[in-house]
Amino acid sequence: RRKQWYQRRVRVKNLDEDNILGDVRKEIDQALAHKGYHGNKPGDKSGGYRVNRNVGELRKELRERTLRARNQVLTSSQVVLATLTSAGKEGPLGKLPKDHFSVCVIDEASQALEVACWMGILNAKKIILAGDHLQLPPTIKSDKAAKEGLSLTLMERLLKTMKDPDDVCASLTEQYRMNELIMRWSSEEMYGGRLTAHPSVSSHLLSDMTEVECTELTTRPLCFVDTAGSGLHETLLGVSRGNEGEAKLVVQYLTSLKEAGVKESDMAVITPYNLQIEFIRNEMMGQFKEVEVRTVDGFQAEKKKPLLYLW
């Protein structure tokens, strides 16, 4: 956000209007610093009244000129980056003419509420929705609202209602992140077996990394550990869950990976429950300070070499 503000501010500084804005701000500062702001004498507020009225008029002028400068920057830009909410009627883009933009691209559209998407759509003649409706949905805190349709995204609704979604839908079928064996299940179960792994990652292993030894863990792209019947009991706390025994097991695997030469900064642990995060961090006891431990949704779009999923 600070970067976006800076970029817009730089463009405003290139306008003639910016010099006038600077002068108005100086006048406001000088007026507020004037001794008449506190009254000329005890009980005499005439000086303060005059200054207040003058400051009010200057602030009004400052708001109007700032709005004109901002609109000038936005209307003269070929590409504008914004959040969906800032594209609404009350946001900066809401002051622009209808259909001002030729194309509106909504990234991560599968995680956006439909009502939020319409804030951006109304400003453009063409809409492109980018995302994956088979991954994480929008965060809906009200179960009732979710059941009554709020959780249905615009992308999902379009794909369900169109007779032939392939006419307007383009799928990216090659992935560049994971070993083919890790990818295979999701490809077959969710994408009709259409996903392929790029040659640069299709067979890569931890043991291929510099200074990492070949061990049973580092030469396997995928490993499952079934703890059923092992006496590792689960703890319930409200809607969250945790298992201290499995937390100890996680730390053992982290230790084995570190001893094999895998850097802490390359490792991460993912779990669905916040309570389990607490158990794992307690078990670490100050070790593995660079290992990230997060929930599933908190880790989306991150990249790590070995990932320990705790389910």
Side-chain angles (χ1 to χ4, degrees):
R1 182 180 299 174
R2 292 173 68 182
K3 185 177 180 181
Q4 290 176 349
W5 177 89
Y6 175 76
Q7 289 173 337
R8 188 176 67 190
R9 181 74 189 123
V10 168
R11 296 203 61 183
V12 170
K13 286 184 72 67
N14 293 328
L15 301 177
D16 294 336
E17 188 80 23
D18 187 63
N19 293 327
I20 302 176
L21 289 173
D23 292 339
V24 175
R25 291 190 186 95
K26 287 179 182 178
E27 286 187 56
I28 293 175
D29 292 339
Q30 290 170 358
L32 291 175
H34 193 273
K35 63 180 180 180
Y37 180 74
H38 300 287
N40 295 327
K41 305 176 185 177
D44 180 8
K45 298 182 180 179
S46 59
Y49 174 78
R50 287 195 301 272
V51 172
N52 281 334
R53 185 174 61 179
N54 186 34
V55 169
E57 292 172 353
L58 288 171
R59 283 176 172 165
K60 180 181 178 182
E61 180 184 357
L62 181 63
R63 285 194 299 269
E64 292 174 349
R65 288 185 177 277
T66 300
L67 182 60
R68 283 201 299 270
R70 184 180 66 184
N71 287 347
Q72 187 176 345
V73 168
L74 292 175
T75 53
S76 63
S77 300
Q78 290 184 315
V79 179
V80 175
L81 304 181
T83 61
L84 290 173
T85 50
S86 65
K89 185 177 180 181
E90 301 302 321
L93 300 186
K95 312 302 180 186
L96 300 180
K98 189 177 180 181
D99 292 337
H100 172 74
F101 298 104
S102 300
V103 181
C104 172
V105 180
I106 300 179
D107 192 23
E108 299 293 358
S110 60
Q111 294 185 50
L113 297 177
E114 178 175 345
V115 65
C117 289
W118 281 106
M119 294 182 184
I121 292 173
L122 296 176
N123 286 326
K125 302 173 184 177
K126 180 178 180 179
I127 176 71
I128 297 176
L129 303 177
D132 186 349
H133 65 290
L134 298 178
Q135 293 190 22
L136 288 177
T139 300
I140 310 293
K141 294 186 176 181
S142 169
D143 292 335
K144 181 181 178 182
K147 290 177 182 178
E148 293 183 0
L150 188 62
S151 62
L152 183 66
T153 64
L154 179 61
M155 175 177 277
E156 286 182 282
R157 189 156 69 84
L158 289 173
L159 291 173
K160 287 180 179 179
T161 55
M162 288 185 172
K163 293 182 179 180
D164 191 357
D166 290 337
D167 286 345
V168 295
C169 180
S171 298
L172 305 179
T173 58
E174 189 171 46
Q175 60 86 17
Y176 296 80
R177 290 192 172 189
M178 67 194 85
N179 185 288
E180 191 275 335
L181 185 61
I182 301 174
M183 175 206 72
R184 189 182 302 165
W185 180 85
S186 58
S187 176
E188 293 176 354
E189 294 295 322
M190 301 171 66
Y191 301 101
R194 291 176 294 171
L195 288 185
T196 60
H198 189 268
S200 63
V201 299
S202 61
S203 60
H204 70 168
L205 301 168
L206 287 177
S207 56
D208 297 333
M209 296 172 63
T210 305
E211 299 181 357
V212 174
E213 300 175 2
C214 290
T215 67
E216 186 177 6
L217 274 180
T218 61
T219 54
R220 291 184 177 182
L222 186 62
C223 179
F224 289 98
V225 179
D226 188 359
T227 60
S230 59
L232 303 181
H233 301 294
E234 195 169 67
T235 300
L236 298 179
L237 183 62
V239 296
S240 194
R241 299 168 181 263
N243 190 308
E244 293 182 278
E246 290 183 356
K248 293 180 180 179
L249 192 61
V250 166
V251 173
Q252 290 178 17
Y253 275 93
L254 290 175
T255 302
S256 297
L257 289 168
K258 186 175 180 179
E259 290 175 348
V262 181
K263 296 178 181 178
E264 288 187 17
S265 57
D266 284 332
M267 295 190 281
V269 182
I270 299 179
T271 174
Y273 304 110
N274 286 319
L275 181 61
Q276 187 64 14
I277 290 178
E278 185 178 334
F279 284 164
I280 293 170
R281 286 175 175 166
N282 288 340
E283 193 63 34
M284 287 179 172
M285 297 183 65
Q287 304 178 72
F288 306 105
K289 293 181 180 180
E290 295 185 60
V291 175
E292 295 186 64
V293 184
R294 299 191 204 173
T295 56
V296 178
D297 54 347
F299 202 83
Q300 192 191 21
E302 296 281 349
K303 293 178 68 174
K304 293 289 181 179
K305 299 300 187 295
L307 280 172
L308 277 66
Y309 286 87
L310 199 59
W311 208 262

